Amino acid sequence: MSSTLDEILTGGGVRSVFQPIVDLDSGAVVAYEALARGPVGPLQAPDTLFTVARSAGRLGELDALCRSAAFRGAVAEGLLAPLTVFVNVEPEVLDTAPLEELLTIADGAPAELRVVVEITERAIAARPAELLATVQRIREIGWGLALDDVGADSMSLAFMPLLQPDVVKLDLRLVQDRPGPEVAEIMNAVNAYAERTGALVLAEGIETQAHVVQALALGATLGQGWLFGRPQPGPAGHLPTAELVLPAVPAGTPGTDVSPFACLPAGTPLRRSPKLLLIELSKQLERHAMRVGETAVVAATFQDARHFTPSTVGRYRELAARTGFVCALGEGLPAEPLPGVRGATLADTDQVRGEWDLAVLSPHFSAALLARDLGDEGPDMERMFEYAVTYDRTTVARAAHALVARVAPRAERTVGQMQQRTAASTAPRLPDPTVTGPAVEGLLHRALAATTSGVVIVDLLAPDQPLVYVNRAFEELSGAPREEVLGRNCRFLQTGDTDLAAVARIREAIKDGRECRETLLNHRGPQRTPWWNELHLAPVTDASGRVVQYIGVQNDVTARVEAERSLAREQDRTRQYLARIEQLAYTDPLTNLPNRRRLQEQVELALWEAAAGGTAVGLLFVDLDGFKAVNDRLGHAAGDELLVTISQRLRAGLRRTDLLARLGGDEFLVALPGLDPHAAAAEADRVASHLAELVGAPVPLRGVDVQVGASIGWATSQDDGADFAGLLHCADQRMYQVKQLVG
């Protein structure tokens, strides 16, 4: 097989077929995806071809050959403007993919050749820096970018704001599977990105009109699948054509020559602070990242490895478990400071060494703390920095990009390849498959009989594709002797609960003549005992390269699946408990309002935003007058009802963006973010009067009308303090002045 691979790579034995991509509204073809095929024979299927090339360490050569074939085929078939050609880049060769050599092909085309390069999320976790560098090269060439298989892994959602793809290709299961909470979460993120950037959403796997309806409901405007046409050598002549209009190319992104702090726009207000405060600000952003969850990218720099303390290790271990991607950079930090956290050491000349940066980016949240060391000497916690906290998505994305672009590749990837090659070179030599005879056949039968995995052979040329061979292990797995199963189709193992989408994927793989792996729920024997079947199917070809049989290897993984499901249930319960604990820690149980602790965090964030945006924040201290008398006369239960009613009135009298919390007893706090600094005091006074009027209205309670008042003091960040404690103290003092006037 290696000689066949040599012939393919040296003789250019790779061809391209093209599958149409259509505009779902008009039904016109706007693009074609180029799909690689090997020459007729054992390496015709792309999965087999790439597996062999990967094992031989020649994946880069094959990938370049496939892309060249795609371009040449597109030109030869006339797939030129207004059409666009989608070309895949294998993620494992991102750092060595010779994209520039394709410019010669594009320049020599008889007319404009429009290109969109597809990159899959599989590249993100292993080689993020190389991925970002490749994207930058693609942009410089003038090509478009598509992110493939979005939704197959949360990593694709996390990196979407960094990669800024022009086209988001939805994983086919989003169209083919039944909608659920996971699908809704994915589409919420995708549609938010598309609305913000103008990116196009493409749904794959469309095979029926029902799939079209589902795709449109998911927000897709482009579609691809067998309903519109299967991969073929040339264009789909039965469909009209139109132009694919991509969004405006995003502005250039920073690389390793730019630091995150330098990403701040000119004129950004800067503050000065000791390191101790920066630690607390960082922890706050880290907590928010954990609340965002698996769609968050967290990128941080610590100047020096000694600042990556045991306490920091504990926090970042939890971040790695609960977010999509985490990296930590610093002089002396390795490529993986701890499991799940990517890293890199910083060179002496890297300006990031003089910064303290933390960026959190997700589809629905963006924030960054960007600080520069002022070079003070003395105790570490007292060293001074100038810093800014920004929520501007463009700035945060640029800062995160600058850090992720410095992440080192995983070292174990090269080691794994070396181990794979070593294993291949020292593996025992198998009998030549071209040699037949009783000795070889006897050896194969004894080997198949001895294996604990169920092995079957299916005849694809016979009607209904029956089983023509089963080993002893399969008899035990199926609960039926070979006499009862030979000549039957494998579907007899399926149950009413077998995943139909998995079955459809198996059928599609068999139609395409490629390998596949699926885990299916099957039943065993007359009792129809359920068991989970881990199935691996591989095609068998004849001398002409035609697929004539399939070999299936099956293993009972019921214990593993049940353990995984049990673990998932426990994780769900744990998340619910954590959410409940967090709710109890931050929420008043009576009114369900935030408590003082939560409001303080919210006000601190509002103050940072106000400082950056040139606005002001108001804080109101609300103390009820006459509440104790109602409580004593009607009882504590009635008093609780009154507090709930008052909290509802206060909420109704505020803007949607205003904040309300119960401080305790009969005291409430109100925060007014985004005020005009020149009118902040007047607005706070107006709101205080309005809320006092609302509170003072009679409240029907236990058959009688009761009435309480409210003494309200206020303070603004423009005039009374720049932090929560200062504002609270000032508002409290003014509240007592009001109470004395009333009393």
Side-chain angles (χ1 to χ4, degrees), residues 67 96-107 137-138 140-141 143:
R67 282 183 277 113
T96 58
L99 298 179
E100 288 82 357
E101 70 181 26
L102 298 180
L103 287 175
T104 305
I105 303 173
D107 291 340
R137 292 161 68 193
I138 289 170
E140 292 169 357
I141 291 170
W143 296 340

Side-chain angles (χ1 to χ4, degrees), residues 540-724:
V540 179
T541 59
D542 61 14
S544 67
R546 179 180 57 167
V547 178
V548 294
Q549 294 176 328
Y550 258 87
I551 294 180
V553 180
Q554 310 183 34
N555 290 286
D556 187 342
V557 292
T558 304
R560 188 193 75 195
V561 172
E562 290 179 349
E564 290 172 348
R565 291 188 163 194
S566 177
L567 177 61
R569 288 193 295 270
E570 288 301 321
Q571 289 174 334
D572 285 342
R573 278 195 288 267
T574 300
R575 282 192 288 268
Q576 292 172 6
Y577 293 151
L578 290 174
R580 180 56 178 160
I581 290 171
E582 184 174 358
Q583 181 183 19
L584 292 174
Y586 286 99
T587 306
D588 171 50
L590 175 63
T591 61
N592 207 32
L593 292 174
N595 59 16
R596 169 177 171 162
R597 180 180 176 187
R598 171 54 61 85
L599 185 76
Q600 180 173 350
E601 289 184 358
Q602 294 173 324
V603 170
E604 287 174 349
L605 289 174
L607 288 169
W608 296 336
E609 291 177 339
T615 60
V617 177
L619 186 68
L620 279 61
F621 194 120
V622 181
D623 184 79
L624 301 185
D625 300 323
F627 173 77
K628 185 176 183 303
V630 175
N631 214 27
D632 293 341
R633 179 161 59 97
L634 299 179
H636 290 290
D640 288 347
E641 292 181 27
L642 177 60
L643 288 173
V644 172
T645 300
I646 294 300
S647 69
Q648 293 170 348
R649 287 185 177 181
L650 291 173
R651 179 70 268 176
L654 298 171
R655 302 173 300 175
R656 183 180 59 83
T657 55
D658 294 336
L659 307 172
L660 173 65
R662 184 186 176 201
L663 189 59
D666 59 354
E667 297 174 338
F668 297 84
L669 290 176
V670 174
L672 309 174
L675 299 180
D676 182 344
H678 303 295
E683 178 63 12
D685 187 64
R686 185 195 67 78
V687 173
S689 300
H690 178 57
L691 295 181
E693 182 180 351
L694 291 176
V695 171
V699 178
L701 191 66
R702 303 293 174 96
V704 299
D705 285 346
V706 299
Q707 194 165 10
V708 295
S711 297
I712 304 177
W714 53 264
T716 69
S717 61
Q718 181 70 14
D719 303 313
D720 303 308
D723 58 17
F724 176 79

